[in-house]
Amino acid sequence: MQHRNLGSQGLRVSALGLGTMGMSMAYGASNDDEGIATIRRAHELGIDFFDTAELYGAGTGSNEILLGEAVKDFRDEVVLATKFGFDMTASPLSPGFNSRPENIRKVAENSLRYLQSDHIDLFYQHISDPAVPVEEVAGVVGELITEGKVKYFGLSNVGPQYIRRAHAVTPVSVLQYEYSLFEREVEEKILPVLRELGIGLVPYSPLGRGFLTGQVKPASEYPADDMRSWDERWQGENYTYNLHAADQLKKLADTKGITTAQLALAWLLAQGEDIAPIPGTRSTKRLEENAGATDVQLSAADLARLTEILPRGSAGSRYPAAMLSSFTTD
């Protein structure tokens, strides 16, 4: 497994990480034993970068507990990332924001306990809080770093000016943002700032929430507790457009003897050595397939063809308008 440096503060991770959200929420019923087996298989394959969050356990810590249990025998060999920033006392379906200093510290202590660790490798602000200046947030995380409870500071779903303001207080190692063949919003204004400041990018949903795996069906065929049941990219004409694009990707992948998922991940890895995607899965078979993407080499002609197939990304918004309006874009 290849490794990459993220940011300028010393964070080094496997080129491909593993997102664990789907082991607890958003993609229908899950099984903890299956999730733990997948995490441990990832470690065997050389993947050492694992992503969780307070939100993924709806405030109960369940996803962090699962991850902590899975890696407890090799904790010092892996990088654990978790996140704060939501008000988990609000509705689980519509949590508010809470990046007040006292809550950041509370979440950190809970995460340390759930992960069975004396430190958090990478601590992200999951979403910006309009009531708390980012300078204050960065200052608290900086204190946690000084205290040895956190190693690196990350941000998620925020824009260029927010990143600059945070970085001026406590150096930011990583921004987490949705990025894939299906979603390229980050390219125009955010990625140049990251590279100017020496900040790495961790793309989440690098397989378009599963659309780029080739295993898709219309929104109506997913259960209500699966986010694809309401994702715009699975609706009506959007679904038809995206399915056609995925078919074209499969044809190109077939010519190279790889899967569509491997093609999509290889494309993302080719966008820069400062990028480390975290595809989520709870299947060891799918995990092994994803890991194979790190061995795929794409030519300039391949990359050009991919841009022809998806010149602007997918059809349909990545989140409902109400949810997107809560993200800081400046």
Side-chain angles (χ1 to χ4, degrees), residues 61-292:
S62 60
N63 194 255
E64 291 172 302
I65 290 169
L66 183 150
L67 178 56
E69 179 65 23
V71 306
K72 65 181 181 181
D73 292 336
F74 46 86
R75 168 64 185 99
D76 293 339
E77 300 174 17
V78 297
V79 173
L80 300 184
T82 192
K83 312 178 195 73
F84 65 87
F86 282 100
D87 177 4
M88 302 311 304
T89 65
S91 166
L93 297 178
S94 183
F97 315 114
N98 190 345
S99 281
R100 295 191 303 273
E102 63 271 21
N103 192 58
I104 295 173
R105 286 189 167 275
K106 176 184 175 182
V107 175
E109 293 299 332
N110 286 340
S111 295
L112 289 168
R113 185 171 70 256
Y114 296 148
L115 293 169
Q116 302 184 46
S117 180
D118 63 357
H119 69 278
I120 298 165
D121 294 297
L122 175 57
F123 203 33
Y124 290 101
Q125 184 187 31
H126 205 160
I127 192 168
S128 59
D129 184 340
V132 182
V134 65
E135 290 82 1
E136 193 170 344
V137 174
V140 175
V141 177
E143 291 170 1
L144 291 169
I145 291 172
T146 299
E147 294 163 15
K149 295 179 179 180
V150 169
K151 285 191 173 182
Y152 303 103
F153 178 32
L155 298 172
S156 177
N157 284 316
V158 293
Q161 296 311 311
Y162 194 94
I163 295 166
R164 289 184 187 280
R165 288 167 55 199
H167 191 69
V169 176
T170 298
V172 177
S173 292
V174 170
L175 174 73
Q176 187 171 126
Y177 210 93
E178 185 169 353
Y179 187 28
S180 71
L181 276 166
F182 262 27
E183 178 53 59
R184 302 184 195 170
E185 178 187 12
V186 73
E187 290 180 338
E188 183 179 359
K189 296 180 179 179
I190 297 175
L191 195 51
V193 171
L194 299 184
R195 288 177 170 159
E196 174 194 335
L197 299 177
I199 299 172
L201 176 64
V202 172
Y204 68 84
S205 297
L207 294 174
R209 303 210 176 99
F211 218 116
L212 296 171
T213 66
Q215 303 294 318
V216 293
K217 52 191 177 183
S220 60
E221 296 184 24
Y222 290 97
D225 59 353
D226 190 310
M227 66 188 300
R228 290 168 292 189
S229 67
W230 49 260
D231 191 309
E232 288 184 11
R233 290 172 288 194
W234 271 260
Q235 308 284 339
E237 293 182 358
N238 291 342
Y239 178 77
T240 301
Y241 174 89
N242 294 332
L243 189 62
H244 174 72
D247 287 342
Q248 296 300 304
L249 294 174
K250 183 178 185 304
K251 290 178 181 178
L252 177 57
D254 287 345
T255 67
K256 302 181 76 61
I258 60 176
T259 67
T260 306
Q262 288 172 331
L263 178 66
L265 290 172
W267 175 86
L268 197 48
L269 290 167
Q271 302 311 300
E273 291 292 323
D274 52 356
I275 294 174
I278 49 168
T281 183
R282 50 201 189 203
S283 161
T284 54
K285 181 179 179 181
R286 183 70 70 186
L287 173 77
E288 291 163 358
E289 176 188 336
N290 291 347

Side-chain angles (χ1 to χ4, degrees), residues 14-42:
S14 51
L16 206 67
L18 176 63
T20 65
M21 180 184 77
M23 296 176 185
S24 300
M25 64 176 289
Y27 291 96
S30 58
N31 178 286
D32 283 356
D33 290 339
E34 183 181 49
I36 288 172
T38 300
I39 292 167
R40 291 177 177 169
R41 179 60 180 145

